[in-house]
Amino acid sequence: LSQSDKTFLAYQQCQPGQQSSADVMAEFLVACFSWLVLLFLIANTMPLFCELWLQVNLKTAVYKFITSIITLSPLMFVFQAKTIGHYITNEIRFGGASYVATGRGLPT
C-alpha cells in the first residue's frame, strides 16, 4: 500500500458501533505526523553529531548520537526550551523580576 492508502484506511473504520470519530481522527493524525516527531528528535542532535565528527571522528559521533537517541535526551532539551519559553513569555506579559546574569550558559 502507498502512504495515502494507509492514511485512507483510518477513515474506513468509521462505522456505527466500531470506533468513535475522535479515535479515527487520532489514528489519522498519527499516520500523517508521527514521522515528524522522529525527524525533529534527529534534527536536535545533528549539531552535536557534526561537531563530534569534525573534532574527534565518525565512530565517536555515531556512538554519541545513538546513545542520545536511546536515552531520549532530545526530549529533555525540548522540555527545557518549553520551560524557558514559558517563563520568558510570562515575564514579558506580566512583568516581574529582572534578569540577573550568572555567567553560566545552558547545560550541554
Side-chain angles (χ1 to χ4, degrees):
L1 293 174
S2 69
Q3 179 66 24
S4 61
D5 291 339
K6 289 178 187 175
T7 56
F8 183 70
L9 289 176
Y11 282 121
Q12 291 180 339
Q13 298 174 2
C14 193
Q15 297 172 357
Q18 285 191 348
Q19 281 186 319
S20 68
S21 58
D23 290 337
V24 172
M25 195 62 187
E27 287 181 16
F28 174 72
L29 291 174
V30 166
C32 288
F33 297 110
S34 61
W35 66 275
L36 286 174
V37 173
L38 182 62
L39 178 68
F40 182 72
L41 293 178
I42 291 172
N44 274 336
T45 58
M46 276 298 115
L48 174 65
F49 177 79
C50 293
E51 188 70 26
L52 285 173
W53 188 8
L54 291 173
Q55 289 186 2
V56 185
N57 59 19
L58 182 61
K59 182 180 174 183
T60 303
V62 170
Y63 175 74
K64 289 286 188 180
F65 176 76
I66 292 172
T67 304
S68 68
I69 293 295
I70 290 172
T71 60
L72 298 177
S73 65
L75 291 179
M76 190 286 254
F77 290 116
V78 171
F79 174 74
Q80 179 186 21
K82 291 291 247 176
T83 303
I84 291 171
H86 169 74
Y87 284 107
I88 289 175
T89 302
N90 280 344
E91 290 299 320
I92 291 172
R93 186 181 300 155
F94 304 115
S98 62
Y99 175 73
V100 177
T102 61
R104 295 183 293 169
L106 294 175
T108 56

